[in-house]
Amino acid sequence: MKLKVVLSVLSCKITCAVLRAFKKGGTSLPGKIALLFCKDILKYVSKNVKVILVTGTNGKTTTCRIIETALEKAGINYFSNKSGANLLNGVVTSFCLASSLSGKNRHDYAVIECDEAALRQVTKYINPQVILVTNIFADQLDRYGDVFNILRLIADGINNCDSATICINADCSLCTHLMTLTEKEARLFGVDIEIPDTHINEQNGILHCIKCGNPYTYDYVTYAHLGGFRCDNCGYRRHKPDVGAVSILNMDITGSDIIMSMNNRQYNLRVNLAGAHNIYNALAAACALNTVGMEDKHILTAVSTFKSGFGRMEIIEINNIPVNIILVKNTAGFNQIINYLFLVENEYILSVILNDKPADGTDVSWINDVDFEKLNETSKKIKYVYLGGTRAGDMALRLKNAGFDMNKVYTVKNDKDLVNKALEHNIPIYITATYTAMFNLRNMLTGKYSLKEFYK
């Protein structure tokens, strides 16, 4: 077995080194090769490491960045799958790279982003200290099925573990049900009030109680199906969170000012990225960090200073023009980005790059539920819209059906031309892209403008 471990880790390191020498990333294939030598290598390379696993539909990467920042501020030795390769192969790669050839891990903590469906594979071999579930929304239904199947997949992954504490979204009626589906100790995060300045009229896809089928009553809604839900028939309801936003003082283009309650201690806090979804990401990270015993001062500093992950509201300066790259992958996430665009004060270029590859979800019908009609209310600030990707035509049709001024809309054949045309206007650019589209765009920009590689 010792020889298998050595061969597994060695093959992973060599494969990764070769791939990165050729600028190929090396995030998933090395782990796949490692598993050929030792199918349970993850059990050995994760031994004696305190693991924080982050799963859920939206916000995983940003939440991990906040957690990492706190560990760094506290001087704690950690590693993460920073590239976002969150299936089993990618997780194996991250652990092998952080280990010696004998399989001994050199770090105290691991911060691991994990795909919802992959969670039950990963937790067969890892016993994390914390499993954080950000939220559950409809996403890649061709792959996951409905939201209730996503819930079951996450519950299965949690139940593989012996002693993990789960940190869950108190405002998500699906996440809260994990306290019934599992017997793990649970800690909750959430927003105690309605979020102001919400421009989107969203459809709530979770209307009926998961326990008895009676319609939910909402005392307030933050966005999508999140908020102060309760069932007046069986009593199923939102629980008071351990970490919560009790007041939202201000929301602007760079972030939000909130009052956060954490174990009955209140703090005025600046969240370093804009949008309601990032308030939730900050609370989620704070909940997980508090659960592992992190000092409050490091949590507060992390939330107010963390840097966004690549493609997650990442800002790149090109010829002194800010280019904002924003990952979009489902209805709830895109609606939050449209809401964010209302905060932009001056004229800008908008781009949507829509792909339909397996990693994006081959069914792009979800764009029909995005509230693109709201763009008409802020269209004076949108100088032009450039569309790209394999399903640019579908996106153009959706904007036309939304009543958007199609004289402003252009379809562009490739990422290089799209960026060049957008730069010609010498105003800020906001590029929203699905998963593979974001990787392709980011790789093109990395090669042309010498940016940091996505896995660094």
Side-chain angles (χ1 to χ4, degrees), residues 2 16-17 26 78 117 135 145 200 239 242 251 257 304 327 336 360 387 391 396 410 416 421 441 453:
K2 185 175 181 180
C16 188
Y78 77 94
N135 46 58
I200 300 298
H239 294 273
D242 301 283
M251 298 177 71
D257 297 299
S304 60
L327 174 69
Q336 285 306 300
D360 306 292
L387 305 179
R391 300 299 286 270
Y410 295 88
K416 184 177 180 181
K421 287 181 179 296
L441 173 70
E453 296 286 353

Side-chain angles (χ1 to χ4, degrees), residues 7-8 11-12 15 28-38 89:
L7 290 174
S8 182
S11 67
C12 181
T15 305
S28 295
L29 181 59
K32 184 176 182 179
I33 292 175
L35 288 168
L36 295 177
F37 289 95
C38 183
N89 293 342

Side-chain angles (χ1 to χ4, degrees), residues 10 80 175 429:
L10 181 61
S80 67
C175 286
I429 301 166

Side-chain angles (χ1 to χ4, degrees), residues 256-402:
S256 302
D257 297 299
I258 68 173
I259 297 177
M260 181 178 74
S261 174
M262 186 160 58
N263 294 343
N264 298 317
R265 302 184 294 274
Q266 290 195 356
Y267 301 98
N268 281 55
L269 181 62
R270 176 71 174 176
V271 179
N272 202 35
L273 275 183
H277 55 301
N278 283 313
I279 294 175
Y280 274 104
N281 293 337
L283 296 172
C287 185
L289 288 163
N290 181 257
T291 299
V292 299
M294 179 66 65
E295 292 182 62
D296 289 5
K297 64 179 181 180
H298 296 311
I299 297 174
L300 302 177
T301 300
V303 169
S304 60
T305 63
F306 77 97
K307 302 291 177 63
S308 62
F310 75 98
R312 276 72 172 181
M313 291 190 168
E314 180 184 22
I315 302 177
I316 298 169
E317 291 281 341
I318 301 176
N319 302 332
N320 296 317
I321 300 171
V323 179
N324 301 260
I325 304 176
I326 309 170
L327 174 69
V328 292
K329 60 178 186 171
N330 53 44
T331 301
F334 214 139
N335 278 334
Q336 285 306 300
I337 297 309
I338 293 175
N339 206 51
Y340 164 75
L341 291 174
F342 273 83
L343 298 172
V344 180
E345 295 180 351
N346 300 313
E347 201 173 39
Y348 63 90
I349 300 296
L350 176 62
S351 172
V352 182
I353 310 178
L354 179 65
N355 278 358
D356 61 351
K357 296 181 180 180
D360 306 292
T362 56
D363 180 1
V364 298
S365 62
W366 59 268
I367 64 173
N368 294 318
D369 296 322
V370 178
D371 194 4
F372 289 111
E373 285 75 9
K374 278 292 176 180
L375 289 178
N376 295 314
E377 297 180 17
T378 188
S379 62
K380 289 182 179 180
K381 293 186 290 187
I382 305 174
K383 187 173 180 66
Y384 292 107
V385 178
Y386 291 109
L387 305 179
T390 58
R391 300 299 286 270
D394 297 75
M395 192 63 238
L397 180 61
R398 178 66 186 93
L399 290 177
K400 181 179 179 180
N401 290 337

Side-chain angles (χ1 to χ4, degrees), residues 5 8-9 38-53 79 88 91-100 102-112 121-129 161:
V5 170
S8 182
V9 175
C38 183
K39 65 179 181 180
D40 55 351
I41 183 62
L42 202 50
K43 179 175 69 174
Y44 299 97
V45 292
S46 65
K47 191 176 181 180
N48 299 323
V49 181
K50 296 177 181 177
V51 179
I52 301 173
L53 272 181
F79 72 95
L88 178 62
V91 174
V92 170
T93 297
S94 297
F95 272 92
C96 286
L97 293 181
S99 300
S100 66
S102 65
K104 184 177 180 180
N105 204 294
R106 303 184 291 266
H107 301 79
D108 298 316
Y109 271 86
V111 182
I112 301 298
Q121 296 174 299
V122 171
T123 54
K124 284 181 181 179
Y125 308 105
I126 292 177
N127 190 30
Q129 190 170 13
C161 304

